[in-house]
Amino acid sequence: MHNWRSRKGAMRHPDDGLIEEYTRLFAGRETASAELEQFMADPSGGYLLVKAGAGLGKTALMASLVARHRNDLAYHFFSPRVSESLQETVFLRNILEQMGSWYGLTDPPAGQPEDMRKRYDALLGRSPQGNQTLILDGLDEVTGWDLSRYLARRLPSGLHFILTVRDTGRDPVEDFALPADQVRAMPLV
């Protein structure tokens, strides 16, 4: 069972060990890091889709961004190395807890998955306080439930989603039903 704490001490999920590991290994990518920072500062919000082949540094780049901005953004890493991270309810509870402060909420996410889905929908139906960013790493790792249900929507101004996905030749905009006019691509090579 997760304990509710203030935003600064919010439950960050077991992926913290993964973040620390990838941050230790991270080097370079100054241009990509600058592009991420620029996207996060844009008041219009939207989606940034980071796409690359396996092992080309998507997760390390996101871990580095989280390490620099740990208390200023929300994040979730989908990783088979942390099997719990692939569960829909863990994902929902994790991001709702982190995003709550953007909307002036202090109560923990509670209830059944449907209750948490309704809360998610309500939050994303309005602009957050200031520019805010949610990082979702490893979209392609999710199986057994439909992640597009949480992505198939226009984002309000000020809300940024940075998404990473393995380049498999498929179109992630189509696969995750992203609003194409709000998506910027950032291929890593």
Side-chain angles (χ1 to χ4, degrees):
M1 188 54 101
H2 303 295
N3 293 324
W4 174 252
R5 290 171 284 209
S6 69
R7 169 102 170 104
K8 298 256 185 233
M11 182 272 296
R12 290 296 190 183
H13 191 292
D15 56 7
D16 277 346
L18 185 131
I19 292 166
E20 291 168 16
E21 175 186 340
Y22 277 94
T23 302
R24 276 194 314 270
L25 301 174
F26 185 76
R29 296 271 189 207
E30 289 83 8
T31 302
S33 292
E35 190 172 339
L36 291 169
E37 298 284 347
Q38 183 178 26
F39 172 75
M40 289 170 47
D42 182 348
S44 62
Y47 295 87
L48 182 65
L49 186 60
V50 180
K51 188 172 157 181
L56 291 180
K58 299 175 300 296
T59 299
L61 180 62
M62 293 305 109
S64 172
L65 186 62
V66 167
R68 288 193 313 273
H69 297 282
R70 187 172 294 265
N71 294 318
D72 299 324
L73 47 75
Y75 57 89
H76 189 85
F77 287 74
F78 296 106
S79 173
R81 293 174 54 195
V82 184
S83 60
E84 179 181 357
S85 73
L86 300 173
Q87 298 171 12
E88 183 178 13
T89 54
V90 170
F91 157 72
L92 271 172
R93 191 171 311 281
N94 188 34
I95 64 168
L96 286 173
E97 180 174 308
Q98 294 178 71
M99 293 170 61
S101 67
W102 301 350
Y103 299 92
L105 302 176
T106 57
D107 59 319
Q112 297 301 312
E114 190 53 39
D115 297 327
M116 290 190 289
R117 287 184 199 107
K118 287 177 184 174
R119 185 173 186 172
Y120 178 89
D121 291 340
L123 292 180
L124 267 63
R126 58 187 207 198
S127 293
Q129 298 169 356
N131 274 353
Q132 303 295 343
T133 301
L134 172 65
I135 295 172
L136 299 178
D137 180 72
L139 304 185
D140 51 285
E141 301 290 357
V142 174
T143 59
W145 56 278
D146 187 9
L147 181 58
S148 67
R149 183 256 182 264
Y150 301 100
L151 302 174
R153 67 186 68 231
R154 295 191 57 73
L155 296 178
S157 60
L159 187 55
H160 307 79
F161 277 24
I162 299 175
L163 312 172
T164 73
V165 64
R166 184 174 297 137
D167 188 355
T168 61
R170 296 183 50 91
D171 180 5
V173 172
E174 183 178 311
D175 289 348
F176 296 104
L178 300 171
D181 64 322
Q182 275 199 316
V183 177
R184 298 183 213 174
M186 185 179 144
L188 289 182
V189 289

